[in-house]
């Protein structure tokens, strides 16, 4: 996992509540990514960061925001969770030769 | 939009047999990568092949790339129970801002 951790690993929340997922890396990677994984859709990019305070949208960014105030931390926030955001969320960091190192994932259930 | 499309979606083979998975993509690529995902875990990088390479080996893995057909294959020889997982191809374009794009994966099940 190249030193990438995610917290929490599991979360159950109610529709309309804000949720923040945290990704932490110890390898000083510049690029970091948030994906969601759903059956039939594979991995879809939500947001990514190319440096501290530098972020950009991915394929499915609506309803999500991110922040990166330190190299090691990349936060994903669901401002007002909806049932369609029930998913498994993966954080990744880009290593050498454009390969990606993934965290263990966060299972989020929005009731 | 998805760049890589794996085929088949699911594959079951006997332990000891070889497993072949294919990936097709649509646009020109700088490199193509294969990842493995065990149930409930994150993806793990297996191998990367660049657009100017045709074949690459890593242990029991063999990857081929045919840029004229925009396709790649992953061969796992002498399969083991531990190879049971989902396998994803991922492509990277030439532009600096290009992001890696993952396919939907092939679920491989090794039967004892």
């Amino acid at each position: 996992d190249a030193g990438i951790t995610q917290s929490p690993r599991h979360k159950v929340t109610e529709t309309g509540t804000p949720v923040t997922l945290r990704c932490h890396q110890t390898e000083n990677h510049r690029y970091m990514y948030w994906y969601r994984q759903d059956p039939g859709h594979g991995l879809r990019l939500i947001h990514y960061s190319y440096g501290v305070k530098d972020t950009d949208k991915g394929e499915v960014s609506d309803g999500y925001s991110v922040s990166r105030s330190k190299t090691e931390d990349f936060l994903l926030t669901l401002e007002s969770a909806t049932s369609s955001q029930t998913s498994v969320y993966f954080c990744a960091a880009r290593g050498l030769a454009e390969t990606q190192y993934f965290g263990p994932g966060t299972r989020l259930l929005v009731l | 939009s998805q760049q890589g499309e794996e085929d088949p979606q699911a594959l079951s083979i006997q332990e000891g047999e070889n497993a072949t998975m294919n990936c097709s993509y649509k646009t020109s690529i700088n490199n193509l990568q294969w990842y493995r995902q065990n149930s409930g875990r994150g993806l793990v990088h297996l191998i990367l092949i660049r657009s100017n390479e045709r074949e690459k080996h890593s242990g029991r893995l063999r990857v081929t790339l045919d840029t004229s057909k925009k396709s790649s294959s992953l061969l796992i020889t002498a399969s083991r129970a531990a190879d049971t997982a989902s396998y994803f191809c991922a492509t990277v374009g030439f532009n600096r801002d290009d992001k890696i794009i993952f396919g939907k994966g092939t679920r491989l099940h090794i039967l004892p």
Side-chain angles (χ1 to χ4, degrees):
Chain A
D1 60 2
I4 298 175
T5 57
Q6 294 183 232
S7 60
R9 295 292 314 280
H10 303 270
K11 186 166 182 69
V12 180
T13 191
E14 294 187 347
T15 298
T17 60
V19 176
T20 294
L21 308 183
R22 180 179 183 244
C23 178
H24 180 78
Q25 56 124 337
T26 60
E27 303 294 325
N28 205 37
H29 295 298
R30 179 183 171 192
Y31 287 80
M32 297 184 73
Y33 307 82
W34 276 107
Y35 296 91
R36 60 178 290 176
Q37 186 176 35
D38 306 286
H41 290 279
L43 277 170
R44 292 182 292 176
L45 181 64
I46 304 171
H47 280 282
Y48 67 100
S49 169
Y50 45 97
V52 173
K53 297 186 180 176
D54 290 325
T55 64
D56 206 348
K57 296 178 180 179
E59 181 185 356
V60 289
S61 59
D62 287 348
Y64 301 95
S65 62
V66 290
S67 66
R68 192 159 178 212
S69 59
K70 298 185 291 184
T71 298
E72 56 265 36
D73 291 324
F74 193 30
L75 304 180
L76 176 71
T77 298
L78 290 65
E79 302 290 347
S80 177
T82 67
S83 58
S84 65
Q85 293 176 312
T86 291
S87 186
V88 182
Y89 291 86
F90 288 99
C91 173
R94 184 167 125 182
L96 296 175
E98 299 126 349
T99 60
Q100 296 210 347
Y101 301 107
F102 283 80
T106 294
R107 290 185 176 274
L108 176 67
L109 174 61
V110 183
L111 300 174
Chain B
S1 62
Q2 296 296 131
Q3 166 74 308
E5 292 286 341
E6 293 90 343
D7 171 62
Q9 290 186 339
L11 178 63
S12 293
I13 61 171
Q14 294 293 138
E15 191 168 13
E17 293 181 340
N18 296 339
T20 299
M21 288 157 273
N22 302 297
C23 172
S24 60
Y25 57 92
K26 295 185 176 70
T27 61
S28 297
I29 60 169
N30 176 284
N31 67 74
L32 184 145
Q33 304 173 32
W34 286 91
Y35 289 77
R36 183 188 74 234
Q37 183 181 33
N38 291 94
S39 181
R41 309 289 290 272
L43 278 70
V44 174
H45 179 259
L46 294 176
I47 196 165
L48 179 153
I49 187 165
R50 296 200 178 277
S51 59
N52 61 352
E53 297 175 311
R54 292 297 167 257
E55 187 171 312
K56 210 162 181 181
H57 297 254
S58 177
R60 294 184 296 114
L61 305 180
R62 173 182 169 238
V63 170
T64 61
L65 179 64
D66 186 335
T67 52
S68 66
K69 295 181 179 177
K70 291 187 170 57
S71 67
S72 172
S73 67
L74 171 67
L75 169 68
I76 303 174
T77 60
S79 63
R80 306 167 180 169
D83 294 328
T84 293
S86 292
Y87 293 81
F88 295 85
C89 70
T91 54
V92 178
F94 285 99
N95 296 323
R96 184 177 180 81
D97 293 336
D98 281 348
K99 292 166 280 296
I100 190 169
I101 300 177
F102 291 86
K104 296 180 182 179
T106 292
R107 294 187 310 279
L108 175 63
H109 185 55
I110 307 301
L111 304 168

